[in-house]
Amino acid sequence: DYQMSNINNFISLIQLSLGNDVPIPDDINWKELYEDAYKQAILGICFFGLQYIRNKRPEIAIPDSIRYRWIAQVLEIQNKNNSLSAHCIRLQEDLDRVGIRSSILKGQAISPLYGEELSSYRTPGDSDIYVDCGRERVFAYAKMKGMHNIQWDYKHLQLDIYSGIDV
């Protein structure tokens, strides 16, 4: 069955990406694998599997259009990770300077769990930061950073202080 073969190939690609020794399938639909990895937000991670396949089975042709698009996406993921990490560090240092204790809850904080090789290939999202202060103090901080139209719900404050970075 065609769909089941694609699912199995996708699972094999993920396993190869994580360093597991599984058989490399012969009948790979690269367009489908790319789309599945994109939908699951693991394009960067799956890129390791793609590289593994290219090294171990060079006779398996990966269409240039897909390979180049994949490489471009991986470079974008790495750049975003580098930028987000730098912004998280800067934000925590800034919060510390004004006496607000904080902790990154997910995203960049868990990237070391991916291991040194894969951490920069993790698709980043927004940054959730716990602050130990209270709503009024967070509002004052946001206003100090130039925010006037503050988006707030009972537990979230959306900070728009870094271009292209959601905090």
Side-chain angles (χ1 to χ4, degrees):
D1 174 57
Y2 178 76
Q3 186 175 4
M4 194 58 164
S5 174
N6 283 341
I7 292 169
N8 289 335
N9 287 348
F10 185 55
I11 291 169
S12 292
L13 181 64
I14 293 168
Q15 290 179 336
L16 290 168
S17 300
L18 298 176
N20 296 319
D21 189 22
V22 297
I24 298 171
D26 292 315
D27 60 334
I28 299 172
N29 181 331
W30 289 105
K31 184 177 184 296
E32 290 286 328
L33 283 183
Y34 177 90
E35 289 172 2
D36 288 343
Y38 181 84
K39 287 177 195 170
Q40 297 300 321
I42 56 174
L43 264 177
I45 302 299
C46 286
F47 185 72
F48 264 71
L50 178 136
Q51 294 298 87
Y52 180 86
I53 291 170
R54 285 198 62 191
N55 291 333
K56 293 290 183 182
R57 301 272 308 275
E59 73 276 8
I60 295 178
I62 302 167
D64 286 344
S65 61
I66 292 171
R67 189 165 51 94
Y68 294 145
R69 187 168 30 156
W70 212 317
I71 290 168
Q73 286 292 316
V74 167
L75 291 173
E76 189 175 314
I77 287 167
Q78 289 177 315
N79 287 335
K80 183 133 187 190
N81 270 313
N82 291 338
S83 177
L84 190 55
S85 292
H87 284 95
C88 284
I89 290 168
R90 192 165 58 207
L91 177 60
Q92 283 199 285
E93 289 172 348
D94 196 38
L95 289 167
D96 189 50
R97 256 190 307 282
V98 297
I100 299 175
R101 294 183 339 151
S102 65
S103 179
I104 308 289
L105 298 179
K106 60 177 188 150
Q108 298 313 99
I110 65 162
S111 67
L113 298 175
Y114 283 72
E116 194 171 324
E117 273 190 329
L118 290 177
S119 66
S120 70
Y121 290 84
R122 184 189 66 78
T123 301
D126 65 345
S127 292
D128 287 349
I129 300 174
Y130 172 78
V131 291
D132 185 20
C133 63
R135 186 175 65 167
E136 294 308 316
R137 191 136 180 236
V138 171
F139 276 19
Y141 176 80
K143 287 178 183 175
M144 178 183 80
K145 289 299 188 178
M147 291 183 57
H148 300 291
N149 184 16
I150 298 172
Q151 305 281 325
W152 173 265
D153 68 24
Y154 71 100
K155 63 181 178 177
H156 292 103
L157 169 72
Q158 182 72 33
L159 284 179
D160 295 321
I161 56 177
Y162 301 118
S163 177
I165 305 292
D166 292 327
V167 180

